[in-house]
Each structure stands twice: as C-alpha cells, then as structure tokens.
mmCIF file of all heavy atoms in Angstrom:
data_model
loop_
_atom_site.group_PDB
_atom_site.id
_atom_site.type_symbol
_atom_site.label_atom_id
_atom_site.label_comp_id
_atom_site.label_asym_id
_atom_site.label_seq_id
_atom_site.Cartn_x
_atom_site.Cartn_y
_atom_site.Cartn_z
ATOM 1 N N ARG A 1028 -17.505 -10.163 -1.196
ATOM 2 C CA ARG A 1028 -17.246 -9.729 -2.560
ATOM 3 C C ARG A 1028 -15.938 -8.946 -2.599
ATOM 4 O O ARG A 1028 -15.713 -8.038 -1.798
ATOM 5 C CB ARG A 1028 -18.383 -8.836 -3.055
ATOM 6 C CG ARG A 1028 -18.243 -8.430 -4.521
ATOM 7 C CD ARG A 1028 -19.301 -7.445 -4.924
ATOM 8 N NE ARG A 1028 -19.161 -6.179 -4.201
ATOM 9 C CZ ARG A 1028 -19.737 -5.040 -4.570
ATOM 10 N NH1 ARG A 1028 -20.519 -5.010 -5.630
ATOM 11 N NH2 ARG A 1028 -19.572 -3.944 -3.875
ATOM 12 N N VAL A 1029 -15.067 -9.300 -3.514
ATOM 13 C CA VAL A 1029 -13.756 -8.664 -3.629
ATOM 14 C C VAL A 1029 -13.607 -8.104 -5.035
ATOM 15 O O VAL A 1029 -13.921 -8.780 -6.025
ATOM 16 C CB VAL A 1029 -12.615 -9.671 -3.331
ATOM 17 C CG1 VAL A 1029 -11.261 -9.005 -3.479
ATOM 18 C CG2 VAL A 1029 -12.776 -10.257 -1.941
ATOM 19 N N LEU A 1030 -13.137 -6.854 -5.116
ATOM 20 C CA LEU A 1030 -12.865 -6.212 -6.398
ATOM 21 C C LEU A 1030 -11.453 -6.579 -6.823
ATOM 22 O O LEU A 1030 -10.489 -6.334 -6.075
ATOM 23 C CB LEU A 1030 -13.022 -4.694 -6.277
ATOM 24 C CG LEU A 1030 -14.395 -4.204 -5.815
ATOM 25 C CD1 LEU A 1030 -14.399 -2.692 -5.660
ATOM 26 C CD2 LEU A 1030 -15.478 -4.633 -6.790
ATOM 27 N N ILE A 1031 -11.292 -7.148 -7.997
ATOM 28 C CA ILE A 1031 -9.998 -7.675 -8.420
ATOM 29 C C ILE A 1031 -9.632 -7.154 -9.805
ATOM 30 O O ILE A 1031 -10.436 -6.514 -10.482
ATOM 31 C CB ILE A 1031 -9.981 -9.224 -8.423
ATOM 32 C CG1 ILE A 1031 -10.987 -9.752 -9.448
ATOM 33 C CG2 ILE A 1031 -10.295 -9.757 -7.034
ATOM 34 C CD1 ILE A 1031 -10.923 -11.270 -9.619
ATOM 35 N N GLY A 1032 -8.393 -7.459 -10.208
ATOM 36 C CA GLY A 1032 -7.922 -7.088 -11.540
ATOM 37 C C GLY A 1032 -7.083 -5.831 -11.563
ATOM 38 O O GLY A 1032 -6.538 -5.465 -12.619
ATOM 39 N N GLY A 1033 -6.950 -5.137 -10.419
ATOM 40 C CA GLY A 1033 -6.169 -3.907 -10.378
ATOM 41 C C GLY A 1033 -4.691 -4.166 -10.144
ATOM 42 O O GLY A 1033 -4.247 -5.294 -9.928
ATOM 43 N N ASP A 1034 -3.900 -3.100 -10.203
ATOM 44 C CA ASP A 1034 -2.474 -3.185 -9.910
ATOM 45 C C ASP A 1034 -2.266 -3.585 -8.453
ATOM 46 O O ASP A 1034 -3.129 -3.362 -7.586
ATOM 47 C CB ASP A 1034 -1.787 -1.838 -10.158
ATOM 48 C CG ASP A 1034 -1.763 -1.455 -11.629
ATOM 49 O OD1 ASP A 1034 -1.817 -2.366 -12.482
ATOM 50 O OD2 ASP A 1034 -1.703 -0.239 -11.918
ATOM 51 N N ILE A 1035 -1.092 -4.151 -8.169
ATOM 52 C CA ILE A 1035 -0.702 -4.498 -6.800
ATOM 53 C C ILE A 1035 0.485 -3.623 -6.410
ATOM 54 O O ILE A 1035 1.518 -3.631 -7.104
ATOM 55 C CB ILE A 1035 -0.327 -5.985 -6.682
ATOM 56 C CG1 ILE A 1035 -1.534 -6.860 -7.014
ATOM 57 C CG2 ILE A 1035 0.169 -6.296 -5.274
ATOM 58 C CD1 ILE A 1035 -1.203 -8.348 -7.026
ATOM 59 N N ILE A 1036 0.342 -2.864 -5.332
ATOM 60 C CA ILE A 1036 1.447 -2.025 -4.849
ATOM 61 C C ILE A 1036 2.432 -2.904 -4.092
ATOM 62 O O ILE A 1036 2.075 -3.559 -3.114
ATOM 63 C CB ILE A 1036 0.931 -0.904 -3.929
ATOM 64 C CG1 ILE A 1036 -0.072 -0.017 -4.667
ATOM 65 C CG2 ILE A 1036 2.093 -0.066 -3.403
ATOM 66 C CD1 ILE A 1036 -0.711 1.042 -3.780
ATOM 67 N N LEU A 1037 3.678 -2.894 -4.553
ATOM 68 C CA LEU A 1037 4.735 -3.664 -3.895
ATOM 69 C C LEU A 1037 5.616 -2.773 -3.017
ATOM 70 O O LEU A 1037 6.136 -3.228 -1.986
ATOM 71 C CB LEU A 1037 5.610 -4.372 -4.933
ATOM 72 C CG LEU A 1037 4.894 -5.350 -5.877
ATOM 73 C CD1 LEU A 1037 5.899 -5.935 -6.865
ATOM 74 C CD2 LEU A 1037 4.199 -6.447 -5.084
ATOM 75 N N ALA A 1038 5.817 -1.507 -3.438
ATOM 76 C CA ALA A 1038 6.694 -0.607 -2.696
ATOM 77 C C ALA A 1038 6.297 0.839 -2.986
ATOM 78 O O ALA A 1038 5.725 1.140 -4.040
ATOM 79 C CB ALA A 1038 8.158 -0.838 -3.062
ATOM 80 N N VAL A 1039 6.591 1.714 -2.018
ATOM 81 C CA VAL A 1039 6.430 3.155 -2.201
ATOM 82 C C VAL A 1039 7.785 3.791 -1.913
ATOM 83 O O VAL A 1039 8.357 3.588 -0.835
ATOM 84 C CB VAL A 1039 5.362 3.737 -1.264
ATOM 85 C CG1 VAL A 1039 5.232 5.242 -1.485
ATOM 86 C CG2 VAL A 1039 4.019 3.041 -1.470
ATOM 87 N N ASN A 1040 8.304 4.544 -2.883
ATOM 88 C CA ASN A 1040 9.648 5.133 -2.764
ATOM 89 C C ASN A 1040 10.679 4.069 -2.375
ATOM 90 O O ASN A 1040 11.529 4.285 -1.494
ATOM 91 C CB ASN A 1040 9.652 6.275 -1.743
ATOM 92 C CG ASN A 1040 8.885 7.493 -2.241
ATOM 93 O OD1 ASN A 1040 8.460 7.546 -3.396
ATOM 94 N ND2 ASN A 1040 8.688 8.465 -1.371
ATOM 95 N N ASP A 1041 10.545 2.903 -2.993
ATOM 96 C CA ASP A 1041 11.450 1.759 -2.780
ATOM 97 C C ASP A 1041 11.326 1.127 -1.394
ATOM 98 O O ASP A 1041 12.125 0.252 -1.052
ATOM 99 C CB ASP A 1041 12.913 2.155 -3.020
ATOM 100 C CG ASP A 1041 13.165 2.576 -4.463
ATOM 101 O OD1 ASP A 1041 12.542 1.976 -5.368
ATOM 102 O OD2 ASP A 1041 13.962 3.507 -4.680
ATOM 103 N N GLN A 1042 10.343 1.549 -0.612
ATOM 104 C CA GLN A 1042 10.097 0.948 0.693
ATOM 105 C C GLN A 1042 9.050 -0.157 0.522
ATOM 106 O O GLN A 1042 7.915 0.113 0.114
ATOM 107 C CB GLN A 1042 9.577 1.990 1.688
ATOM 108 C CG GLN A 1042 9.171 1.446 3.041
ATOM 109 C CD GLN A 1042 10.344 0.921 3.836
ATOM 110 O OE1 GLN A 1042 11.420 1.488 3.806
ATOM 111 N NE2 GLN A 1042 10.142 -0.182 4.539
ATOM 112 N N PRO A 1043 9.402 -1.430 0.817
ATOM 113 C CA PRO A 1043 8.422 -2.516 0.650
ATOM 114 C C PRO A 1043 7.159 -2.269 1.476
ATOM 115 O O PRO A 1043 7.214 -1.803 2.613
ATOM 116 C CB PRO A 1043 9.176 -3.745 1.157
ATOM 117 C CG PRO A 1043 10.616 -3.402 0.994
ATOM 118 C CD PRO A 1043 10.718 -1.922 1.267
ATOM 119 N N ILE A 1044 6.018 -2.598 0.878
ATOM 120 C CA ILE A 1044 4.716 -2.422 1.522
ATOM 121 C C ILE A 1044 4.082 -3.801 1.679
ATOM 122 O O ILE A 1044 3.897 -4.524 0.703
ATOM 123 C CB ILE A 1044 3.798 -1.519 0.671
ATOM 124 C CG1 ILE A 1044 4.413 -0.118 0.524
ATOM 125 C CG2 ILE A 1044 2.402 -1.441 1.268
ATOM 126 C CD1 ILE A 1044 4.588 0.638 1.813
ATOM 127 N N ASP A 1045 3.756 -4.177 2.925
ATOM 128 C CA ASP A 1045 3.222 -5.524 3.147
ATOM 129 C C ASP A 1045 1.701 -5.559 3.265
ATOM 130 O O ASP A 1045 1.109 -6.639 3.317
ATOM 131 C CB ASP A 1045 3.854 -6.176 4.373
ATOM 132 C CG ASP A 1045 3.599 -5.391 5.649
ATOM 133 O OD1 ASP A 1045 2.732 -4.492 5.650
ATOM 134 O OD2 ASP A 1045 4.280 -5.677 6.657
ATOM 135 N N GLY A 1046 1.049 -4.393 3.324
ATOM 136 C CA GLY A 1046 -0.403 -4.380 3.434
ATOM 137 C C GLY A 1046 -0.951 -2.966 3.459
ATOM 138 O O GLY A 1046 -0.207 -1.979 3.380
ATOM 139 N N TRP A 1047 -2.265 -2.870 3.578
ATOM 140 C CA TRP A 1047 -2.949 -1.574 3.511
ATOM 141 C C TRP A 1047 -2.515 -0.635 4.630
ATOM 142 O O TRP A 1047 -2.279 0.551 4.407
ATOM 143 C CB TRP A 1047 -4.451 -1.800 3.539
ATOM 144 C CG TRP A 1047 -5.276 -0.543 3.512
ATOM 145 C CD1 TRP A 1047 -6.120 -0.089 4.470
ATOM 146 C CD2 TRP A 1047 -5.330 0.426 2.447
ATOM 147 N NE1 TRP A 1047 -6.699 1.105 4.085
ATOM 148 C CE2 TRP A 1047 -6.232 1.438 2.834
ATOM 149 C CE3 TRP A 1047 -4.705 0.526 1.203
ATOM 150 C CZ2 TRP A 1047 -6.517 2.540 2.051
ATOM 151 C CZ3 TRP A 1047 -4.992 1.642 0.403
ATOM 152 C CH2 TRP A 1047 -5.890 2.620 0.824
ATOM 153 N N LEU A 1048 -2.394 -1.150 5.854
ATOM 154 C CA LEU A 1048 -1.997 -0.303 6.972
ATOM 155 C C LEU A 1048 -0.565 0.200 6.792
ATOM 156 O O LEU A 1048 -0.260 1.356 7.103
ATOM 157 C CB LEU A 1048 -2.135 -1.077 8.286
ATOM 158 C CG LEU A 1048 -2.192 -0.236 9.566
ATOM 159 C CD1 LEU A 1048 -3.369 0.709 9.539
ATOM 160 C CD2 LEU A 1048 -2.272 -1.141 10.783
ATOM 161 N N SER A 1049 0.285 -0.648 6.282
ATOM 162 C CA SER A 1049 1.664 -0.256 6.001
ATOM 163 C C SER A 1049 1.712 0.854 4.956
ATOM 164 O O SER A 1049 2.495 1.813 5.072
ATOM 165 C CB SER A 1049 2.462 -1.467 5.527
ATOM 166 O OG SER A 1049 3.738 -1.111 5.062
ATOM 167 N N TYR A 1050 0.855 0.744 3.949
ATOM 168 C CA TYR A 1050 0.776 1.790 2.916
ATOM 169 C C TYR A 1050 0.321 3.117 3.508
ATOM 170 O O TYR A 1050 0.941 4.168 3.274
ATOM 171 C CB TYR A 1050 -0.179 1.344 1.807
ATOM 172 C CG TYR A 1050 -0.660 2.459 0.914
ATOM 173 C CD1 TYR A 1050 0.125 2.937 -0.126
ATOM 174 C CD2 TYR A 1050 -1.909 3.051 1.133
ATOM 175 C CE1 TYR A 1050 -0.314 3.980 -0.932
ATOM 176 C CE2 TYR A 1050 -2.354 4.090 0.336
ATOM 177 C CZ TYR A 1050 -1.558 4.551 -0.692
ATOM 178 O OH TYR A 1050 -1.987 5.585 -1.487
ATOM 179 N N LEU A 1051 -0.755 3.082 4.294
ATOM 180 C CA LEU A 1051 -1.276 4.320 4.895
ATOM 181 C C LEU A 1051 -0.235 4.982 5.791
ATOM 182 O O LEU A 1051 -0.073 6.209 5.776
ATOM 183 C CB LEU A 1051 -2.535 4.017 5.703
ATOM 184 C CG LEU A 1051 -3.796 3.634 4.927
ATOM 185 C CD1 LEU A 1051 -4.928 3.322 5.902
ATOM 186 C CD2 LEU A 1051 -4.214 4.740 3.976
ATOM 187 N N GLU A 1052 0.469 4.171 6.584
ATOM 188 C CA GLU A 1052 1.469 4.725 7.506
ATOM 189 C C GLU A 1052 2.614 5.398 6.745
ATOM 190 O O GLU A 1052 3.064 6.489 7.115
ATOM 191 C CB GLU A 1052 2.011 3.617 8.404
ATOM 192 C CG GLU A 1052 3.028 4.106 9.423
ATOM 193 C CD GLU A 1052 3.437 3.029 10.398
ATOM 194 O OE1 GLU A 1052 2.955 1.886 10.275
ATOM 195 O OE2 GLU A 1052 4.262 3.325 11.289
ATOM 196 N N PHE A 1053 3.078 4.754 5.678
ATOM 197 C CA PHE A 1053 4.182 5.347 4.921
ATOM 198 C C PHE A 1053 3.759 6.668 4.282
ATOM 199 O O PHE A 1053 4.497 7.661 4.343
ATOM 200 C CB PHE A 1053 4.680 4.384 3.845
ATOM 201 C CG PHE A 1053 5.916 4.869 3.147
ATOM 202 C CD1 PHE A 1053 7.168 4.531 3.621
ATOM 203 C CD2 PHE A 1053 5.831 5.688 2.019
ATOM 204 C CE1 PHE A 1053 8.321 4.991 2.996
ATOM 205 C CE2 PHE A 1053 6.973 6.151 1.391
ATOM 206 C CZ PHE A 1053 8.219 5.808 1.870
ATOM 207 N N ILE A 1054 2.593 6.697 3.657
ATOM 208 C CA ILE A 1054 2.132 7.924 3.005
ATOM 209 C C ILE A 1054 1.970 9.045 4.025
ATOM 210 O O ILE A 1054 2.371 10.195 3.787
ATOM 211 C CB ILE A 1054 0.809 7.675 2.252
ATOM 212 C CG1 ILE A 1054 1.013 6.693 1.091
ATOM 213 C CG2 ILE A 1054 0.213 8.989 1.740
ATOM 214 C CD1 ILE A 1054 1.980 7.180 0.041
ATOM 215 N N GLU A 1055 1.420 8.720 5.202
ATOM 216 C CA GLU A 1055 1.172 9.749 6.218
ATOM 217 C C GLU A 1055 2.456 10.292 6.834
ATOM 218 O O GLU A 1055 2.604 11.500 7.018
ATOM 219 C CB GLU A 1055 0.264 9.186 7.315
ATOM 220 C CG GLU A 1055 0.059 10.097 8.507
ATOM 221 C CD GLU A 1055 -0.685 11.381 8.187
ATOM 222 O OE1 GLU A 1055 -1.409 11.431 7.178
ATOM 223 O OE2 GLU A 1055 -0.544 12.351 8.962
ATOM 224 N N LEU A 1056 3.380 9.399 7.162
ATOM 225 C CA LEU A 1056 4.556 9.811 7.932
ATOM 226 C C LEU A 1056 5.769 10.153 7.081
ATOM 227 O O LEU A 1056 6.637 10.922 7.521
ATOM 228 C CB LEU A 1056 4.941 8.705 8.923
ATOM 229 C CG LEU A 1056 3.881 8.318 9.961
ATOM 230 C CD1 LEU A 1056 4.446 7.267 10.910
ATOM 231 C CD2 LEU A 1056 3.400 9.534 10.736
#
C-alpha cells in the first residue's frame, strides 16, 4: 500500500534530491 497525491521534493536549498536517503543526509549534514 502506497500513500500518494502529496508533493514531490525535487531539491533542498537548490541541491537535487534523488531519494529519501539523500534527503535525510542533506538535512542532517
């Protein structure tokens, strides 16, 4: 089961984000 219909994060602070782990790493570091 997948929850859908939400926004898609493409970048954080103009840094491209390719997936969930990439997002977590950028926010943390």
